[in-house]
Amino acid sequence: MPVGTVGSVKGVQLRDLKDDINAEIILGNTYHLYLRPGTDILRQAGGLHRFGGFDRPILTDSGGFQVFSLTGIRKLREEGCEFRSHIDGSKHFFSPERVIDIERSIGADIMMAFDECPPGTAPYDYARRSLELTHGWLDRCIKRYSETEPLYGYHQSLFPIVQGCTYPDLRRHSAEFMAAKDAEGYAIGGLAVGEPAEVMYEMIELVNSILPANRPRYLMGVGTPVNILEAIERGVDMFDCVMPTRNGRNAMLFTWQGTMNMRNAKWATDFTPVDPQGTSYVDTAYTRAYLHHLYKAGELLALQIGTLHNLAFYLDLVRQARAHILAGDFCQWKRQVLPQLSSRL
């Protein structure tokens, strides 16, 4: 899912999202959309789909990660979390009920339950108390969800979020608690926050051994192409990450041959396509030398091309993964492509 934090994927028009890279679903951010443009405007517009013009599915996170990253300007308690806006310092309060109401106003097709996302290095006692809070908040989210109706005439799904840091017993407990809710899908949060990749994979395996295999399983905020293929092999179905868009704006491009820093002088006289194996028009329309020139010149077009290229690559990656799953040779294909994907050109 390309990340559209404030209701847009940075630097990408709807035409490009839908026609050129064919994004089937995008992600919006509850915290940012709540602060700006605000739920009143979104309601008047008829929801985020109509406001932004994207007529395909949208997922919104709960805003929990953003709120809890506001170290020093938030107060956490059982009722919810009080925080100050990063925009103007104004005071706000998120409770599970309030977050469900906001996500109803946004009109996301998939809504995340409100949770606390503790630091990856959180001590065990903190992680345990945090998990108890998240579980209690989930019950309140489900209650509010069942008491309210969609505002714009279509169904909205609610996904619980499995937490527990990197403690196996907490992850197991959380996965069992979430699986018992019989939700339409499940998210795995609190990973890819500094822990070693192998530990992340162990937590994914543990959680997915418990979550229902016939429901979507969404790994939040992950990650590199290698991370994605490793997680797919372990049973994950859905992903989001700012990496393709953020890296694209910073001259770091992903290709089937490896990762390229387009500011490096080695590309100045390379007149081959950015990614000869790629399937996007971006890969064949522009050469490495031309993109190197645009980035070095500070041309805004470089940011747009880099973003589109990376999104096209990521979507091609998961489409090929899906095709190989259906063909029954995913593991063999994954072993073949991982060395290239993990290399720096």
Side-chain angles (χ1 to χ4, degrees):
M1 296 176 286
V3 175
T5 302
V6 297
S8 69
V9 178
K10 286 187 179 181
V12 181
Q13 294 189 60
L14 282 176
R15 177 194 62 227
D16 299 320
L17 269 179
K18 294 169 64 175
D19 298 338
D20 293 331
I21 64 173
N22 192 25
E24 299 174 25
I25 177 173
I26 62 174
L27 179 142
N29 184 273
T30 297
Y31 166 82
H32 288 282
L33 291 168
Y34 161 76
L35 291 177
R36 190 168 51 193
T39 54
D40 288 344
I41 289 177
L42 288 170
R43 281 185 178 235
Q44 291 176 44
L48 184 58
H49 288 91
R50 291 184 179 176
F51 187 61
F54 191 75
D55 58 2
R56 297 176 183 178
I58 296 175
L59 179 148
T60 47
D61 61 15
S62 68
F65 180 82
Q66 284 71 31
V67 167
F68 297 116
S69 66
L70 298 171
T71 305
I73 54 175
R74 51 100 170 170
K75 296 179 181 178
L76 179 64
R77 55 185 187 268
E78 187 174 342
E79 292 79 14
C81 185
E82 180 183 289
F83 62 95
R84 291 190 178 274
S85 165
H86 73 286
I87 299 171
D88 59 10
S90 56
K91 188 180 292 186
H92 302 268
F93 184 76
F94 271 6
S95 67
E97 294 80 9
R98 182 74 178 114
V99 166
I100 293 297
D101 291 345
I102 293 168
E103 292 189 277
R104 289 291 199 197
S105 296
I106 294 171
D109 301 270
I110 302 174
M111 310 187 302
M112 293 294 113
F114 191 47
D115 66 330
E116 184 191 6
C117 185
T121 56
Y124 183 87
D125 285 346
Y126 181 95
R128 179 179 53 79
R129 291 194 301 270
S130 171
L131 193 60
E132 291 171 356
L133 195 63
T134 288
H135 289 179
W137 284 356
L138 174 63
D139 287 335
R140 289 166 58 188
C141 282
I142 292 173
K143 183 175 185 294
R144 188 67 165 192
Y145 174 78
S146 65
E147 292 171 346
T148 57
E149 295 290 335
L151 300 177
Y152 310 115
Y154 53 84
H155 177 68
Q156 295 177 277
S157 298
L158 177 65
F159 283 21
I161 304 174
V162 175
Q163 290 288 356
C165 294
T166 56
Y167 300 107
D169 61 324
L170 297 184
R171 282 285 173 181
R172 177 178 298 279
H173 173 56
S174 187
E176 291 172 346
F177 182 88
M178 302 302 177
K181 302 302 178 183
D182 193 29
E184 294 180 86
Y186 300 87
I188 306 170
L191 294 176
V193 289
E195 78 279 1
E198 288 306 318
V199 174
M200 176 177 70
Y201 300 148
E202 289 172 10
M203 295 301 103
I204 294 170
E205 287 183 10
L206 173 61
V207 168
N208 281 344
S209 70
I210 297 167
L211 294 179
N214 63 343
R215 306 288 169 86
R217 298 184 289 205
Y218 161 34
L219 181 59
M220 305 181 77
V222 177
T224 68
V226 171
N227 290 157
I228 288 174
L229 293 188
E230 293 287 1
I232 288 174
E233 186 173 23
R234 290 164 172 82
V236 174
D237 305 291
M238 300 168 61
F239 302 87
D240 80 282
C241 190
V242 298
M243 192 171 287
T245 49
R246 180 179 292 168
N247 285 24
R249 296 192 302 273
N250 288 283
M252 193 69 70
L253 302 189
F254 298 96
T255 76
W256 285 102
Q257 291 80 45
T259 306
M260 306 168 62
N261 184 343
M262 297 312 299
R263 296 187 188 278
N264 288 349
K266 65 188 294 184
W267 310 121
T269 56
D270 188 336
F271 302 104
T272 60
V274 174
D275 190 354
Q277 291 179 235
T279 61
S280 167
Y281 80 96
V282 177
D283 302 318
T284 55
Y286 304 104
T287 66
R288 297 173 176 181
Y290 182 61
L291 269 186
H292 169 80
H293 159 67
L294 293 183
Y295 278 112
K296 294 291 285 186
E299 169 55 52
L300 293 178
L301 180 60
L303 281 62
Q304 184 180 45
I305 294 173
T307 298
L308 280 171
H309 165 84
N310 280 351
L311 287 174
F313 170 80
Y314 266 64
L315 290 168
D316 186 34
L317 177 75
V318 294
R319 287 180 184 127
Q320 290 208 33
R322 185 185 303 133
H324 284 283
I325 290 170
L326 294 173
D329 64 351
F330 172 83
C331 293
Q332 178 183 356
W333 170 76
K334 170 180 160 283
R335 287 194 297 270
Q336 291 173 347
V337 299
L338 279 190
Q340 294 172 262
L341 294 178
S342 57
S343 65
R344 288 291 186 104
L345 298 180

